[in-house]
Amino acid sequence: MQQEVTSVSRKQENLYTAPAAVYVITAEDIRRRGFNNIPEALAMAPGVQVRAIDGNKWSIGVRGHSGIYSNKLLVQIDGRSIYTPTFSGVYWDQHEIPMSDIERIEVIRGSGATLWGANAVNGIINIITKHTSDSQGAKIQASAGNQDDGSASIRYGDQINENTFFRINAQRKETDSNSRYDGLGDANDSTTNHSLHVRLDSELSETDSIELSAGLHDNKTQQTVSVLNMPPPSFFSINNQDQVDLKSFYLKGNWKHLHQNGVQSNLQVFIDHYDRKELYLEQDLTTYDLDYQLTLPALGSHNLILGMGYRRVDADYLNSYAVSILPNEANMDLYSFYAQDEYIIVPEQLSLTFGSKFEHHDFTGWEIQPNVRIAYSPAPGHFTWGAISKAVRTPSIAERGSNIQGGLTFPSTTWVNGSMEIDAENVTSYEVGYRYFSSNLYTFDAAFFYNDYDDYLSFEQINPITFQMGNKLSGKSYGVELTSVWQLSASVQLAASYSYLDVEMEADNDSTDPFSAEVLNNSYAKNSVKLHSSWDINQKWSLDTWLYYYDEIRTPSNYALFTNLTVEEAITVNARLAWSINHNLELALKANNIFDASTLESVGESLSTPTEIDRSIALSVIWDF
């Protein structure tokens, strides 16, 4: 069985013999289920909790610690990191890419900091798009429904010469608003997104290849926020209807070269810029990144990977009374070196991988992130692995210097200040796993983990309404993730996963943080179940269904002032029925949340309003020519 992955070891290897908890969402998974965005696709992965906060914001976490500002994940698109240094998380609404261009999404649960660096604390999500030679010709997609106000994309790919291919993709998405939790009308969370993506791949010679890509985004996203816009004695400004204006672009180049001595080198550079304007903060941020890697030929039983990287961030902020980044101009430099060796003890049976990342950050100085993994295959089709890793999350720009409105506590409001003394968060991870894959009809995967956190972000209470960020939380998380896939026949496939998670955080003895541990210990579902079925009814018709079950989530809400909100345990059922009219034309009907008119998936967070996600039904057409 062959499914290649690259995110575990920064080189191609078989999914089923990769020594990590890895899951791959394939292009076929995306096509058959008609996923409209990356968060919707990520929801099918075991151990990943994806909850919609509203129509354009998501709480996404791997092995806990999720939220709108979740910062324990490293997310990349074709190796280009998309996290924002403002808060070390991802603005998911900024990264609308054509889903039909995605080859696969590799989801690594667990630390990957040795090769990928800071922020790869609880997991890595690597979105890999198709080579342009695999997306030739024209493709038009269009959809409309009760929540889809009309979306369309057009892609064209062609061949310049025997070894050079390109594609261009233009996309427009428009979604309608969902419902407010309090029943007072719609949630003002509609979106209008425009994007343009181009890519070129060329084999320059037998030893050299290049990839060039670029993208533009122009998005207008509606949101409802609760902020105190002016100093007292003004009234509270709750449930403001606001529009987020976003303009962004990226440029990326990648050069691969095979040297005469067998060494493979890979040089990647990119520039990523965004200009984001919303009621409480305007951001103008540019990232410059360079990464160089050497993959050495086998030296006896050793397979070595060496690399270095440099990143520069320039940021400007226009502050408001509610949110201030201090100072309002920030610059950040990060450089790193890494090395990893895979030692083959017994060929195709036993190996040991060890290495470390050495990373220097302007805010925290040098960080060392080592890793050791062992892989053992006792018999064909059986694979076991174990790992011990250390990872860090470096502070964001906002954590180093800011003044941010917290929850509204009538007749005042709380405030959170950044701190120049804040340090990196640390985690030591212990993992073991087992896979069975000897048959093309059945696979099974089990992963067990224990994470030990220290110097975790806390909010130290200075006075009744003022908090300052610190590093005075510690704790642990542990759990299990089980996944099975059955190929019942040539036309029917079933997949199931179960995940159990427990998070136990506590404040240090000298901490004055009154609430963070409680929030972290309750802001996730302990138990989750995911079921998927794919049925090719005949040569023309296919039916896909997927069901998600989550435990209840109970977290103090900044929206509800003096009360808590609970996200009840829930089962959501989704389906897509597709009709292949001919080889080039497909018509499909998709329904999300079939049995509930609307569902509260998240309690809302600071500045945001709890929103019920409405049932959606949409008709789509795909035409290849």
Side-chain angles (χ1 to χ4, degrees):
M1 301 182 69
Q2 291 292 324
Q3 168 66 65
E4 296 296 317
V5 294
T6 58
S7 302
V8 176
S9 304
R10 289 187 75 137
K11 64 178 182 179
Q12 283 197 342
E13 59 186 321
N14 189 344
L15 164 68
Y16 297 103
T17 55
V22 55
Y23 186 86
V24 174
I25 301 164
T26 66
E28 183 69 0
D29 292 329
I30 294 170
R31 183 193 68 81
R32 292 192 64 118
R33 292 162 181 82
F35 292 141
N36 294 316
N37 51 56
I38 294 169
E40 190 178 1
L42 292 176
M44 75 176 292
V48 181
Q49 295 196 15
V50 179
R51 312 305 295 267
I53 294 173
D54 59 24
N56 51 65
K57 299 181 186 67
W58 290 267
S59 169
I60 299 179
V62 173
R63 297 178 173 176
H65 309 275
S66 59
I68 188 173
Y69 301 114
S70 176
N71 51 27
K72 304 295 184 293
L73 287 175
L74 179 68
V75 185
Q76 303 178 115
I77 300 176
D78 289 328
R80 174 176 60 91
S81 176
I82 62 172
Y83 93 108
T84 171
T86 300
F87 67 89
S88 295
V90 175
Y91 285 122
W92 292 99
D93 59 319
Q94 288 187 188
H95 302 285
E96 287 282 358
I97 66 173
M99 300 300 288
S100 61
D101 283 354
I102 296 175
E103 177 185 307
R104 65 185 185 273
I105 302 175
E106 298 180 5
V107 181
I108 313 297
R109 308 183 305 279
S111 171
T114 295
L115 292 177
W116 298 108
N119 287 62
V121 175
N122 282 2
I124 302 164
I125 296 170
N126 197 3
I127 301 148
I128 300 168
T129 62
K130 296 174 182 176
H131 192 280
T132 49
S133 62
D134 297 325
S135 50
Q136 295 291 283
K139 177 189 284 285
I140 295 176
Q141 295 181 256
S143 62
N146 66 313
Q147 292 297 114
D148 184 343
D149 285 347
S151 301
S153 68
I154 180 168
R155 184 186 76 196
Y156 179 72
D158 208 344
Q159 187 172 0
I160 297 175
N161 57 43
E162 183 180 357
N163 298 310
T164 304
F165 302 83
F166 77 92
R167 70 165 173 262
I168 182 169
N169 195 316
Q171 178 174 263
R172 179 185 187 275
K173 284 187 176 182
E174 187 168 349
T175 64
D176 201 0
S177 292
N178 290 281
S179 303
R180 279 177 50 166
Y181 173 77
D182 54 19
L184 300 178
D186 71 58
N188 187 52
D189 59 345
S190 62
T191 62
T192 302
N193 300 327
H194 300 88
S195 63
L196 178 70
H197 299 266
V198 294
R199 173 169 165 170
L200 180 143
D201 294 281
S202 181
E203 300 287 337
L204 301 178
S205 67
E206 292 183 356
T207 59
D208 293 274
S209 64
I210 61 169
E211 175 215 322
L212 303 173
S213 59
L216 295 170
H217 294 85
D218 186 354
N219 301 347
K220 298 188 185 304
T221 301
Q222 308 302 315
Q223 63 178 353
T224 301
V225 295
S226 298
V227 295
L228 185 61
N229 284 321
M230 296 181 295
S234 68
F235 293 100
F236 289 112
S237 186
I238 300 176
N239 297 330
N240 293 273
Q241 293 195 348
D242 179 36
Q243 176 173 286
V244 181
D245 289 317
L246 167 73
K247 289 180 171 57
S248 68
F249 74 84
Y250 70 86
L251 301 169
K252 185 175 82 75
N254 186 287
W255 172 36
K256 295 180 180 179
H257 176 67
L258 178 62
H259 299 261
Q260 289 185 347
N261 60 2
V263 174
Q264 297 180 33
S265 62
N266 185 47
L267 174 65
Q268 176 179 282
V269 295
F270 72 77
I271 300 173
D272 193 311
H273 172 82
Y274 72 80
D275 184 2
R276 184 183 180 99
K277 296 180 173 66
E278 47 197 319
L279 178 66
Y280 47 83
L281 185 66
E282 295 186 14
Q283 307 175 53
D284 189 294
L285 192 144
T286 305
T287 300
Y288 309 88
D289 189 277
L290 180 148
D291 184 89
Y292 184 66
Q293 177 177 306
L294 294 175
T295 304
L296 278 62
L299 302 172
S301 299
H302 296 269
N303 297 294
L304 287 168
I305 293 176
L306 307 172
M308 59 176 290
Y310 171 74
R311 179 173 298 165
R312 167 78 177 187
V313 175
D314 294 324
D316 291 290
Y317 301 97
L318 181 60
N319 297 321
S320 70
Y321 181 71
V323 177
S324 297
I325 306 297
L326 305 171
N328 67 336
E329 294 184 3
N331 308 106
M332 186 176 73
D333 291 285
L334 182 150
Y335 48 90
S336 61
F337 309 89
Y338 59 88
Q340 180 166 285
D341 179 24
E342 181 189 22
Y343 174 44
I344 308 298
I345 302 171
V346 180
E348 299 185 1
Q349 189 171 11
L350 180 63
S351 66
L352 180 69
T353 301
F354 52 92
S356 186
K357 184 112 174 181
F358 306 89
E359 195 166 54
H360 185 276
H361 195 286
D362 277 354
F363 295 165
T364 60
W366 283 102
E367 303 287 353
I368 301 175
Q369 302 173 87
N371 164 78
V372 60
R373 294 177 183 270
I374 189 168
Y376 175 56
S377 179
H382 297 267
F383 181 77
T384 60
W385 61 273
I388 302 175
S389 313
K390 180 185 176 184
V392 303
R393 185 192 70 82
T394 51
S396 67
I397 293 172
E399 289 166 348
R400 289 278 289 183
S402 61
N403 181 235
I404 301 172
Q405 177 192 303
L408 299 177
T409 53
F410 187 82
S412 183
T413 184
T414 58
W415 296 92
V416 178
N417 298 327
S419 170
M420 295 294 288
E421 302 301 318
I422 199 164
D423 207 349
E425 297 177 339
N426 293 273
V427 63
T428 302
S429 301
Y430 307 87
E431 301 174 86
V432 294
Y434 167 77
R435 291 192 190 97
Y436 171 79
F437 57 94
S438 65
S439 169
N440 287 326
L441 302 179
Y442 177 74
T443 62
F444 174 76
D445 186 289
F448 305 85
F449 66 91
Y450 179 94
N451 294 334
D452 187 6
Y453 297 94
D454 196 14
D455 297 325
Y456 200 98
L457 178 67
S458 63
F459 297 90
E460 302 301 314
Q461 189 164 14
I462 307 302
N463 58 50
I465 64 169
T466 306
F467 297 81
Q468 183 167 317
M469 299 183 197
N471 294 96
K472 294 187 176 183
L473 289 182
S474 59
K476 60 187 178 183
S477 67
Y478 52 90
V480 59
E481 297 144 354
L482 308 175
T483 308
S484 290
V485 179
W486 300 270
Q487 190 69 46
L488 297 184
S489 68
S491 60
V492 178
Q493 183 185 84
L494 300 178
S497 70
Y498 167 75
S499 301
Y500 173 80
L501 170 67
D502 201 351
V503 177
E504 299 177 10
M505 304 295 293
E506 62 182 10
D508 296 346
N509 291 335
D510 60 343
S511 173
T512 58
D513 186 329
F515 60 84
S516 293
E518 180 188 359
V519 171
L520 291 167
N521 293 340
N522 291 279
S523 60
Y524 63 94
K526 281 195 173 184
N527 296 279
S528 62
V529 177
K530 302 179 181 184
L531 305 176
H532 301 265
S533 70
S534 297
W535 178 25
D536 292 326
I537 302 171
N538 54 41
Q539 292 184 343
K540 295 287 187 181
W541 292 88
S542 64
L543 176 65
D544 288 82
T545 58
W546 55 106
L547 176 153
Y548 301 145
Y549 164 80
Y550 286 107
D551 265 352
E552 76 169 17
I553 301 174
R554 185 176 180 83
T555 300
S557 170
N558 291 307
Y559 167 75
L561 301 185
F562 300 105
T563 63
N564 292 338
L565 288 177
T566 298
V567 177
E568 302 291 346
E569 66 175 355
I571 297 175
T572 60
V573 180
N574 318 278
R576 182 177 183 267
L577 178 66
W579 174 34
S580 296
I581 300 172
N582 56 46
H583 182 69
N584 299 321
L585 185 62
E586 179 185 84
L587 193 66
L589 180 66
K590 177 186 173 186
N592 282 347
N593 201 18
I594 293 174
F595 298 114
D596 292 291
S598 61
T599 302
L600 181 70
E601 297 187 13
S602 173
V603 297
E605 300 190 27
S606 180
L607 308 181
S608 66
T609 300
T611 298
E612 293 206 345
I613 306 302
D614 295 337
R615 176 194 297 126
S616 66
I617 301 174
L619 187 67
S620 64
V621 60
I622 303 174
W623 182 25
D624 291 287
F625 59 97

